[in-house]
Amino acid sequence: MKQPFEKLVELHGATVLRVCRAVVGRAEAEDVWQETFLAALRAYPDLPPDANTEAWLVTIAHRKSLDAMRSNGRRAVPVGDVPETPSPHGVPGSGDDGDGLWSSVARLPDKQRRVIAYRYLADLAFNDIAAIVGGTPAAARRAASDGLKSLRTRLAASQLEGESA
């Protein structure tokens, strides 16, 4: 028997928001999160009862994130001094001043960043990640490995800079 949709939001809302932040950034994450759950609400009646709902929601979030990134490329970027407000669900890498883990994740190549987010924020299996980003589970595993290696290198370099300063 399927859970009520409100229970899905309660169980997986924070995970989906973290994934949205990792893929599109903090400024658009809450909009993408809302679009994700609106789309999920419409499709939920047709979802099989034994489906992996977390992977399903992350897949929808992935597609909505791609839609947001594509639409950003077509519209003007607003500017101003609007302060960002933290979400009640927490901020990945809060307190990050640009040299921390979150900033390093944001600088990864697109596929590596998404695979890292889906694997380590949403705790998805590489089979599920491959279904979302395309390619094979081995390719997803490789992208995660390359991303982690790059993160370790960047963080080690920033620690050395911090010690020498």
Side-chain angles (χ1 to χ4, degrees):
M1 182 171 172
K2 286 172 44 173
Q3 297 176 331
F5 189 78
E6 298 81 22
K7 187 71 174 171
L8 287 183
V9 175
E10 182 182 322
L11 289 173
H12 305 297
T15 300
V16 171
L17 183 59
R18 285 192 300 267
V19 168
C20 291
R21 283 186 176 146
V23 176
V24 297
R26 291 174 49 188
E28 293 189 51
E30 291 186 16
D31 289 341
V32 172
W33 184 90
Q34 290 177 5
E35 290 177 23
T36 297
F37 279 98
L38 284 175
L41 180 61
R42 283 187 222 113
Y44 191 60
D46 298 329
L47 185 70
D50 61 339
N52 180 344
T53 54
E54 186 173 41
W56 177 68
L57 288 168
V58 170
T59 301
I60 294 171
H62 166 75
R63 292 182 182 139
K64 293 298 178 184
S65 297
L66 291 178
D67 290 346
M69 290 189 313
R70 287 182 192 130
S71 71
N72 283 344
R74 292 183 287 231
R75 72 174 119 129
V77 177
V79 294
D81 295 329
V82 178
E84 291 191 31
T85 57
S87 164
H89 300 294
V91 178
S94 62
D96 188 350
D97 60 358
D99 294 332
L101 178 61
W102 179 241
S103 295
S104 296
V105 170
R107 287 192 295 261
L108 287 174
D110 186 52
K111 185 172 184 178
Q112 290 177 10
R113 185 181 66 250
R114 284 189 270 146
V115 169
I116 293 284
Y118 301 149
R119 177 69 183 138
Y120 297 103
L121 295 178
D123 200 27
L124 294 182
F126 286 111
N127 289 341
D128 295 330
I129 295 169
I132 293 171
V133 299
T136 64
R141 188 173 288 113
R142 182 76 228 172
S145 176
D146 291 345
L148 288 176
K149 182 179 178 182
S150 179
L151 287 173
R152 287 185 184 115
T153 302
R154 288 178 185 175
L155 292 175
S158 70
Q159 285 179 343
L160 288 175
E161 288 177 17
E163 291 174 5
S164 65

